[in-house]
Amino acid sequence: TQGCLLQLLAPPRTAAGDPEWCCSTPPHSPRGRRSTQVLGVLAMLGLGFLTLTYLLWQVPLPHAWYQMHPKEVTSWEALEGQTGQQRDSCQFFLVESIPQDLPYAAGSPSAQSLAQAWLQLLDTAQESIHVASYYWSLTGPDIGVNDSSSQPGEAILQKLLQLLDRNVSLMVATNSPALAKNSTDLQVLAVQGAQVRQVPMRHFTGGVLHSKFWVVDGQHIYLGSANMDWRSLTQVKELGAIIYNCSGLAHDLEKTFQTYWVLGAPQAVLPKTWPQNFSSRINRFQPLRGRFGGVPTTAYFSASPPALCPRGRTRDLDAVLAVMKGARKFIYASVMEYFPTTRFSHPARYWPVLDNALRDAAFGRRVCVRLLVSCGLSTDPTMFPYLRSLQALSNPSAGISVEVKVFIVPVGNHSNIPFSRVNHNKFMVTEKAAYIGTSNWSEDYFSSTSGVGLVVSQRALHAQPGVPPAQEQLRQLFQRDWSSRYAVGLDGQAPGQDCAWQD
Ligand SMILES: *[C@@H]1O[C@H](CO)[C@@H](O)[C@H](O)[C@H]1NC(C)=O
Ligand SMILES: *[C@@H]1O[C@H](CO)[C@@H](O)[C@H](O)[C@H]1NC(C)=O
Ligand SMILES: *[C@@H]1O[C@H](CO)[C@@H](O)[C@H](O)[C@H]1NC(C)=O
Ligand SMILES: *[C@@H]1O[C@H](CO)[C@@H](O)[C@H](O)[C@H]1NC(C)=O
Ligand SMILES: *[C@@H]1O[C@H](CO)[C@@H](O)[C@H](O)[C@H]1NC(C)=O
Ligand SMILES: *[C@@H]1O[C@H](CO)[C@@H](O)[C@H](O)[C@H]1NC(C)=O
Ligand SMILES: *[C@@H]1O[C@H](CO)[C@@H](O)[C@H](O)[C@H]1NC(C)=O
């Protein structure tokens, strides 16, 4: 096996002095000179404004002026009061799974371990656990593998069985037909009282149920790239989020769970319009606003495909595009796959929606774009022309920056474990927002496959050091991966190697 492994031997490509977010305009470019002139004019205008403000300050304004200009609602407290969501004190955590034998440099940032976070979340469960899942294989025997790294997955299954023993109700919606055919997890849970519904998503939308989230006790949630698979805890790189004590968001995500639950009932039909009680009032136009751990935060969920978006639910594609359009400085995305096409429909269609949005941001607003795509044994090499094409837009002297790298999880001595050792992350971060999703970036995941996304944006509290805003935490994780030895530039790829492993 050469290919990806060979690439690992290449020296790291990232310069040590990488700026915080890339795109440093070269100092002597015409654009640079123009911005200096613009800055000068702005400074003069600013001085004038300050002088005027000072003069106005000296002269008292008539009382009526204030009445004519009622104070805009700018304080977050006021907004919380308006939406009545101040009862919750939501706590947001990023969680991730770093495959075994994937060491990072000492002192690298990291999120909470997914395996521990899942156990902790289950430990808080008192009444109910609702799980939306693609497939289950939490034990080694489920896929005929005997490896000690299956233990954390087996512990999750044991914990769920204990919770059923304590009369905590467990509802599972999962795709049908099942992917891990030999897995007995769901039968074992059903015997102990779990309610399981298999959703024939292909029948309804032509896709699969690919969502991965939990709602616990109607107030805590987990959402992320990990499947209910032991490999997600020890052999696959995953990223997700957990939000505690947040009934406002949990009730909203529960509505998406209920869409699957309804479709998993015998003889279910896909409603033309979903009943009113499935509608959401939390979306991209009206996100939930509150203080998460004291930090002013907005958050909402998106869903795909459109047929599973009742009134008021933001479509997943619209959420991704909105986050891209909102960026002014950078867009960093880490996805398993990137295809500006369909993947599963025949004949395939060209679908440059996300590709265009990235190019538009880089060209039109000089937003710095970085795309980190997974590369592993099963990577389809036809992805590479699209990545090269995107990167070809880069023109540093014009201030256009689009960089693409592949992330390679070395297989090492784990070759006994099939479909593992990949970067399964599906997130994007800008200076404004964090997007954590479950969809690969190709058309089918937005048009026929069911998925969910979470968009979180926190305000930086300059006065209060401590935990940085969610989007800054996520940026640090992206940057850690991007500048690690596992991330390889496309130029480093010898022709024909392209991560398609050759024996
Ligand atoms: C599933 O079970 C069948 C029949 O017992 C066996 O032949 C097959 O190898 C198993 N597959 C996996 C992935 O364990
Ligand atoms: C699994 O592997 C361990 C050690 O590698 C061995 O002791 C054990 O018998 C194996 N179990 C099965 C079911 O093959
Ligand atoms: C669970 O429910 C059953 C039947 O209602 C009851 O007999 C049992 O005591 C309950 N167990 C616990 C731990 O509450
Ligand atoms: C959630 O709220 C409960 C009760 O107020 C509290 O004990 C717990 O620590 C909170 N959890 C987190 C993670 O903040
Ligand atoms: C909406 O109401 C119906 C009928 O009462 C119920 O079965 C369903 O679970 C509700 N859906 C949601 C999302 O609350
Ligand atoms: C696999 O490799 C790691 C280090 O690369 C080593 O710590 C571990 O013991 C090895 N495991 C086996 C089963 O050889
Ligand atoms: C994403 O794409 C890969 C490669 O085609 C596929 O194996 C996987 O099922 C897709 N979905 C997930 C889990 O992201």
Side-chain angles (χ1 to χ4, degrees), residues 10 19 45 60 84 99 106 110 150 180-181 233 291 328 337 356 402 412 441 467 486 488 500:
L45 281 177
S110 63
S150 64
K181 294 202 168 19
L233 301 176
R291 285 179 177 273
R328 289 295 174 274
E337 275 202 340
N356 282 345
V402 183
W441 283 17
V467 185
Y486 312 112
V488 181

Side-chain angles (χ1 to χ4, degrees), residues 183-196:
S183 172
T184 55
D185 301 357
L186 288 173
Q187 285 96 307
V188 168
L189 290 168
V191 165
Q192 293 296 308
Q195 293 172 267
V196 178

Side-chain angles (χ1 to χ4, degrees), residues 121-132 136 159-173 186 189-190 192-197 213-220 254 257-258 261:
L121 183 51
L122 293 180
D123 273 334
T124 66
Q126 303 285 324
E127 286 162 19
S128 66
I129 303 167
H130 297 176
V131 178
W136 287 59
K159 177 70 78 179
L160 287 170
L161 289 168
Q162 286 164 18
L163 289 169
L164 285 166
D165 256 5
R166 291 190 357 224
N167 291 343
V168 172
S169 90
L170 173 61
M171 288 162 76
V172 176
L186 288 173
L189 290 168
Q192 293 296 308
Q195 293 172 267
V196 178
R197 285 196 181 172
F213 65 80
W214 305 1
V215 179
V216 174
D217 289 348
Q219 47 182 326
H220 318 299
E254 173 68 18
F257 179 82
Q258 287 296 329
W261 198 247

Side-chain angles (χ1 to χ4, degrees), residues 89-93 120 124 219-220 242-246:
S89 54
C90 313
Q91 299 277 340
F92 174 91
F93 303 95
Q120 251 170 44
T124 66
Q219 47 182 326
H220 318 299
I242 288 191
I243 306 179
Y244 275 103
N245 290 339
C246 204

Side-chain angles (χ1 to χ4, degrees), residues 248-314:
L249 280 182
H251 281 147
D252 191 59
L253 190 57
E254 173 68 18
K255 291 178 180 177
T256 292
F257 179 82
Q258 287 296 329
T259 61
Y260 310 147
W261 198 247
V262 166
L263 295 179
Q267 270 92 53
V269 288
L270 181 64
K272 278 216 171 58
T273 47
W274 287 90
Q276 188 55 35
N277 61 343
F278 288 82
S279 300
S280 173
R281 272 177 304 171
I282 299 176
N283 50 45
R284 141 169 117 81
F285 303 108
Q286 251 185 312
L288 177 133
R289 294 172 193 272
R291 285 179 177 273
F292 286 19
V295 183
T297 304
T298 63
Y300 68 90
F301 295 110
S302 56
S304 70
L308 269 68
C309 291
R311 239 177 108 84
R313 174 72 60 204
T314 298

Side-chain angles (χ1 to χ4, degrees), residues 141 145-148:
V145 170
N146 180 10
D147 192 281
S148 59

Side-chain angles (χ1 to χ4, degrees), residues 149-476:
S149 67
S150 64
Q151 194 279 327
E154 285 148 12
I156 295 290
L157 186 61
Q158 287 312 310
K159 177 70 78 179
L160 287 170
L161 289 168
Q162 286 164 18
L163 289 169
L164 285 166
D165 256 5
R166 291 190 357 224
N167 291 343
V168 172
S169 90
L170 173 61
M171 288 162 76
V172 176
T174 194
N175 190 62
S176 159
L179 187 70
K181 294 202 168 19
N182 287 5
S183 172
T184 55
D185 301 357
L186 288 173
Q187 285 96 307
V188 168
L189 290 168
V191 165
Q192 293 296 308
Q195 293 172 267
V196 178
R197 285 196 181 172
Q198 299 182 338
V199 185
M201 199 59 83
R202 186 161 302 282
H203 166 72
F204 294 118
T205 67
V208 296
L209 176 60
H210 194 252
S211 307
K212 308 136 200 317
F213 65 80
W214 305 1
V215 179
V216 174
D217 289 348
Q219 47 182 326
H220 318 299
I221 60 167
Y222 159 79
L223 179 154
S225 61
N227 288 307
M228 297 304 293
D229 184 328
W230 61 268
R231 289 166 291 188
S232 291
L233 301 176
T234 49
Q235 298 292 347
V236 175
K237 191 164 176 303
E238 308 278 7
L239 185 113
I242 288 191
I243 306 179
Y244 275 103
N245 290 339
C246 204
S247 57
L249 280 182
H251 281 147
D252 191 59
L253 190 57
E254 173 68 18
K255 291 178 180 177
T256 292
F257 179 82
Q258 287 296 329
T259 61
Y260 310 147
W261 198 247
V262 166
L263 295 179
Q267 270 92 53
V269 288
L270 181 64
K272 278 216 171 58
T273 47
W274 287 90
Q276 188 55 35
N277 61 343
F278 288 82
S279 300
S280 173
R281 272 177 304 171
I282 299 176
N283 50 45
R284 141 169 117 81
F285 303 108
Q286 251 185 312
L288 177 133
R289 294 172 193 272
R291 285 179 177 273
F292 286 19
V295 183
T297 304
T298 63
Y300 68 90
F301 295 110
S302 56
S304 70
L308 269 68
C309 291
R311 239 177 108 84
R313 174 72 60 204
T314 298
R315 298 175 177 191
D316 199 27
L317 179 60
D318 292 338
V320 172
L321 291 173
V323 170
M324 286 180 179
K325 286 208 174 80
R328 289 295 174 274
K329 293 180 179 170
F330 66 84
I331 299 172
Y332 296 166
S334 180
V335 292
M336 178 164 171
E337 275 202 340
Y338 183 86
F339 278 90
T341 65
T342 54
R343 289 290 280 151
F344 308 116
S345 57
H346 300 283
R349 274 188 306 277
Y350 190 55
W351 182 78
V353 179
L354 296 178
D355 206 57
N356 282 345
L358 289 176
R359 289 168 193 265
D360 184 40
F363 183 89
R365 304 192 303 277
R366 298 299 195 261
V367 169
C368 169
V369 174
R370 284 180 171 172
L371 180 64
L372 187 59
V373 179
S374 178
C375 168
L377 273 164
S378 56
T379 298
D380 178 347
T382 64
M383 175 168 69
F384 286 89
Y386 305 117
L387 299 181
R388 290 208 187 84
S389 164
L390 182 62
Q391 182 167 268
L393 188 70
S394 243
N395 182 356
S397 65
I400 301 170
S401 173
V402 183
E403 294 173 274
V404 181
K405 288 186 181 182
V406 295
F407 191 95
I408 304 163
V409 178
V411 173
N413 56 13
H414 302 283
S415 55
N416 57 323
I417 303 169
F419 300 109
S420 62
R421 313 301 294 175
V422 292
N423 184 4
H424 198 237
N425 289 180
K426 290 154 181 67
F427 72 82
M428 168 173 56
V429 60
T430 72
E431 78 282 1
K432 298 223 178 69
Y435 167 87
I436 296 165
T438 63
S439 297
N440 282 331
W441 283 17
S442 62
E443 196 210 77
D444 320 71
Y445 286 91
F446 299 97
S447 62
S448 59
T449 289
S450 88
V452 288
L454 165 66
V455 179
V456 182
S457 184
Q458 294 194 301
R459 201 171 58 178
L461 289 180
H462 298 292
Q464 183 185 312
V467 185
Q471 63 270 23
E472 170 58 16
Q473 294 175 43
L474 193 54
R475 187 198 67 82
Q476 288 177 12

